[in-house]
Amino acid sequence: MGGFAEAVQERVRRARAAVAAAYEAEDAYEVSVAEDELDDALRVARGLGVDPDAAPEAENGGAG
């Protein structure tokens, strides 16, 4: 599941970056949209048993 887990983690990273950018831009609408995307990405990760904060190599037990 390495590549798939990495894709889920990347979705979470992008969503977190979008939330930060929206807050920095002080755009209430974009904050709302970005937070919804982050909530969805985290829900998907949890549902699939993927730790969104784990380093990608940790998903494979450190094996390359």
Side-chain angles (χ1 to χ4, degrees):
M1 185 165 94
F4 183 74
E6 288 175 15
V8 171
Q9 290 170 329
E10 180 59 27
R11 180 180 176 196
V12 171
R13 282 191 291 273
R14 285 192 315 262
R16 286 177 173 157
V19 169
Y23 273 109
E24 187 173 318
E26 299 180 3
D27 185 332
Y29 175 76
E30 286 300 320
V31 167
S32 179
V33 171
E35 286 180 341
D36 283 348
E37 169 60 15
L38 178 56
D39 288 345
D40 191 52
L42 290 170
R43 180 187 55 79
V44 168
R46 280 190 296 269
L48 296 171
V50 174
D51 180 357
D53 298 314
E57 58 273 1
E59 291 292 323
N60 294 326

